[in-house]
Amino acid sequence: MMETGYDEQGMMGADGEQEEYQMQSTFKKIEELENYGINRTDITKLKAGGYHTIESIAHGSLRKLVEVKGISEQKAQKLKEVIKTNNLVSIGFQTATSRLECMKDTIMLSTGSNDLDVLLGGGIETGSITEVFGEFRTGKTQLCHTLCVTAQRPLDQGGAEGRVIYVDTEGTFRPQKLVAIAERFQMNPEEVLDNIICARAHNSEQQLELLSDAAALMSDSRYALLVVDSATALYRTDYSGRGELSERQMHLGQFLRQLTRLAEEFGIAVVITNQVVANPDGMSFAKDNTKPIGGNIIAHASTTRLKLKKGRGDNRICHIYDSPSLPESECAFSLGPAGIEDAKDA
């Protein structure tokens, strides 16, 4: 079984009861700090400020901790000292061997296409951010919807046996599409929908705030996937012109840093979609003269970057744009009535 932050947890079953799984912890709930002299009032304040695990405090800066209402610099330093003294979180150096052992726990989520899974070395990996970008109607949202279903499947069927959080910034979330995908994989549609939590973000500030809500949900139940579709659309409308570019990039960087923290803290797969714009520096005669928006901020935050392109008919092309472990390559897949499928003969 996949390692998670729960001894007893699970997804909603067809009878409305929680199906329990016995799994080991990868994070520690913030309530455990009571055993080390931190009072319950301060813990409540920290949770209100978006800190729900001991890891989130260990990895946060003192400057951010003192921004929490009721947490002084002295209290923040004490929190850090308690975590370090009692070795509650491993934040120092470790051998490459230990790092390799940790990476063996990575789970790959099936995309719904066997060929695409092979291209990605098994699917979308947990514990990191995968960015999917391309023009409209290239299959970005279709891929997100398919992953919402496959993430709930058993481990031996390309899933992670977990729930899903979906942040919709463009109004593209379609539950009826999820029903069709669930039926394709012979899953109970009602159960699948009950295991997906969706939120509609209307501005970039709300989009960031939703990540605090997501952290609270993840600390209480088993989640395998967080989707943000799209991560950049609201930043493009909330910040316009070169005069606001620096501020936009700073806020986008904060959002992406939070996503990285959630991916590493809870061991979930984070999938974000991104839009493209014309590349003024590219060759005007190039067949595809576009580039993803967000610049270096989003490029450095994303572990794997996938570029989707249109093919013949319903076929699409997935190109590995950037990855630390996968070679630059591409394959075809298809957009079917029930999600992502293998490519069809033209």
Side-chain angles (χ1 to χ4, degrees), residues 121-336:
I124 302 296
E125 72 173 19
T126 56
S128 65
I129 298 177
T130 298
E131 175 197 358
V132 182
F133 67 90
E135 296 179 340
F136 69 98
R137 297 193 72 247
T138 52
K140 301 186 297 294
T141 299
Q142 279 263 42
L143 176 58
C144 291
H145 280 65
T146 305
L147 288 169
C148 285
V149 178
T150 60
Q152 301 180 39
R153 304 188 78 199
L155 297 179
D156 58 2
Q157 295 179 24
E161 301 178 5
R163 291 174 171 173
V164 177
I165 293 177
Y166 199 111
V167 178
D168 179 14
T169 68
E170 297 184 278
T172 55
F173 182 72
R174 294 292 181 270
Q176 58 269 35
K177 172 63 71 174
L178 297 170
V179 171
I181 299 171
E183 291 174 344
R184 167 192 167 190
F185 289 109
Q186 299 180 332
M187 300 172 69
N188 185 315
E190 291 185 10
E191 181 182 339
V192 167
L193 293 179
D194 284 341
N195 288 323
I196 300 172
I197 311 298
C198 178
R200 179 75 162 93
H202 296 278
N203 58 67
S204 57
E205 292 178 0
Q206 184 185 12
Q207 181 175 321
L208 179 60
E209 290 170 0
L210 284 172
L211 295 190
S212 294
D213 297 337
L217 289 168
M218 292 177 194
S219 66
D220 286 332
S221 187
R222 165 68 193 138
Y223 284 84
L225 172 67
L226 170 61
V227 174
V228 184
D229 184 23
S230 94
T232 53
L234 295 177
Y235 286 94
R236 295 185 72 182
T237 55
D238 289 356
Y239 301 92
S240 59
R242 289 189 174 274
E244 295 185 318
L245 179 60
S246 176
E247 187 179 1
R248 185 192 81 173
Q249 292 300 87
M250 181 185 70
H251 284 279
L252 179 59
Q254 291 176 354
F255 176 75
L256 294 169
R257 180 67 192 94
Q258 285 282 76
L259 282 180
T260 301
R261 197 193 88 187
L262 292 176
E264 296 177 349
E265 204 170 299
F266 297 101
I268 62 167
V270 174
V271 175
I272 61 175
T273 65
N274 192 8
Q275 302 172 341
V276 295
V277 293
N279 183 8
D281 299 325
M283 299 293 184
S284 59
F285 54 81
K287 188 175 181 180
D288 185 3
N289 189 30
T290 61
K291 65 176 182 178
I293 70 171
N296 291 330
I297 295 291
I298 199 165
H300 291 309
S302 304
T303 301
T304 303
R305 310 186 77 191
L306 306 177
K307 181 176 184 177
L308 303 187
K309 300 178 289 185
K310 295 177 182 177
R312 291 179 177 271
D314 290 331
N315 286 347
R316 300 293 185 267
I317 306 297
C318 177
H319 177 83
I320 298 179
Y321 191 79
D322 185 35
S323 171
S325 57
L326 300 171
E328 185 174 347
S329 185
E330 62 183 33
C331 80
F333 65 94
S334 178
L335 304 182

Side-chain angles (χ1 to χ4, degrees), residues 17-28:
E17 298 294 328
Q18 283 216 338
E19 299 172 355
E20 293 185 352
Y21 301 102
Q22 297 296 324
M23 301 184 182
Q24 296 178 332
S25 267
T26 55
F27 65 87
K28 297 181 176 68

Side-chain angles (χ1 to χ4, degrees), residues 31-73:
E31 286 81 1
E32 293 183 29
L33 288 176
E34 277 193 75
N35 300 327
Y36 300 92
I38 305 301
N39 66 63
R40 187 173 300 181
T41 303
D42 287 339
I43 290 176
T44 301
K45 293 175 182 177
L46 288 165
K47 291 178 70 174
Y51 295 89
H52 298 274
T53 67
I54 296 178
E55 284 79 2
S56 64
I57 297 173
H59 298 155
S61 65
L62 283 173
R63 182 172 62 86
K64 287 294 182 181
L65 284 173
V66 297
E67 289 179 3
V68 176
K69 187 176 181 180
I71 300 298
S72 63
E73 185 174 350

